Amino acid sequence: MHNPLANSHLHSKPYAAGFSVPVRELHAGHRAEILRHLLLLNDEDRRLRFGTQTPDEVIRHYVEHLNFNRDTVFGSFDSQLNLIAMAHLAYLPKVKGKPQAAEFGVSVLPNGRGQGIGTALLGRASVHSRNTRIETLFVHCLANNRAMMHLAQKAGMRVEYAYGDADAYLTLPPANPGTIVEEAAKEQWADFDYAVKENFKRSNDAWSWFLGKPVVRPT
C-alpha cells in the first residue's frame, strides 16, 4: 500500500453529490444491519471490498471492532429498510507535516448497483471529511476493482497503480458554511426518507397480517 500522504500533487477538485439517494450516518446500534449486509456479499465482492478472501468470521470480527467514536460509517436503505449499501470512512493516524487523511471503503449489494448509490456515499463522505478537517480522501483497492476505480475517477481522484493494487487520492478544500448546511440537510433528508419507509413498512406489515398474505412493496 502506498503512503496516502506522500503525494504532494493531488487533485484539488471538491466532490459533491445530490440528494437523490438518501445516505444516513450509522452508529453502534446498526451493527446487526452492517453484519447482515456484509455477509450477503459473495466471495468475489468480499475480495474486492477487503482486498483478500474474507470468510464470515473475519467479517464478524471487523463489524464487532468498528469504532464509531473514531471513524464514520454511512449507509443507504432500500424500501424494506435493508441496508443496501454502506461506506466506512476510517481516519488515518496523523503524520507530522502531512495533511490529515481518511480512507474510504464501500460495498453495494447487487440489487442496488447502477443507481448512483456508491456515488452518493462518496459524496456524503467527502462533505463529512471536509467538515471534520480531513484534507485528503484516500481509497486503496485491487487494481481490477473496476467499480471502485470508476467511482474514484468520476470523483476526480488521482489514481496510481502498483503490484496489482490501486491508490486514489482527492485533496479536499476546507469546510465552509455551505458544506456545514449541506451535510445537515442531507442528514435530515435521509432521516425523513427512513421514517417514511419505516411507516410504509409497518402499514404494509399490518395489512399483510390482516389479509393473511404478503403485500407487495415497491423496491
Side-chain angles (χ1 to χ4, degrees):
M1 180 185 297
H2 294 140
N3 182 344
L5 309 181
N7 195 310
S8 60
H9 303 286
L10 306 181
H11 202 288
S12 59
K13 174 186 175 182
Y15 184 64
F19 288 79
S20 58
V21 178
V23 174
R24 298 189 82 199
E25 184 173 343
L26 306 183
H27 52 73
H30 291 103
R31 286 190 198 273
E33 288 93 334
I34 294 171
L35 177 61
R36 189 178 305 115
H37 165 82
L38 293 173
L39 290 178
L40 286 173
L41 298 174
N42 63 30
D43 290 343
E44 177 62 10
D45 289 336
R46 294 182 188 191
R47 187 182 71 86
L48 293 176
R49 170 61 182 87
F50 295 102
T52 185
Q53 298 300 325
T54 313
D56 290 357
E57 57 268 26
V58 173
I59 288 179
R60 290 191 177 93
H61 183 270
Y62 164 79
V63 174
E64 288 172 2
H65 289 82
L66 280 172
N67 188 336
F68 292 89
N69 294 321
R70 181 193 62 205
D71 300 337
T72 306
V73 181
F74 298 103
S76 180
F77 293 84
D78 65 13
S79 63
Q80 301 182 44
L81 300 185
N82 298 310
L83 186 61
I84 195 89
M86 64 160 288
H88 182 186
L89 186 65
Y91 290 76
L92 301 179
K94 175 66 177 176
V95 178
K96 187 176 181 180
K98 300 292 184 180
Q100 182 65 55
E103 183 174 2
F104 174 84
V106 64
S107 55
V108 182
L109 295 181
N111 58 332
R113 293 170 190 167
Q115 302 176 33
I117 298 176
T119 299
L121 286 165
L122 179 55
R124 184 80 161 78
S126 297
V127 173
H128 184 77
S129 295
R130 292 177 64 184
N131 290 340
T132 52
R133 300 183 180 181
I134 294 298
E135 301 167 84
T136 301
L137 192 60
F138 166 68
V139 171
H140 177 79
C141 68
L142 298 175
N144 64 349
N145 190 339
R146 295 181 179 179
M148 189 68 250
M149 286 297 93
H150 174 74
L151 186 63
Q153 291 168 346
K154 183 179 178 181
M157 302 181 92
R158 178 189 178 102
V159 180
E160 297 178 353
Y161 298 91
Y163 308 108
D165 291 343
D167 292 333
Y169 313 87
L170 180 67
T171 295
L172 299 172
N176 57 47
T179 62
I180 302 296
V181 171
E182 179 183 354
E183 182 169 22
K186 286 184 175 181
E187 187 65 22
Q188 289 180 354
W189 157 236
D191 288 345
F192 173 77
D193 173 82
Y194 188 90
V196 170
K197 290 174 179 176
E198 186 175 40
N199 289 334
F200 188 71
K201 182 178 185 298
R202 288 176 178 174
S203 176
N204 274 1
D205 289 345
W207 276 108
S208 295
W209 175 85
F210 179 76
L211 297 173
K213 62 181 180 179
V215 175
V216 177
R217 294 187 293 263
T219 57

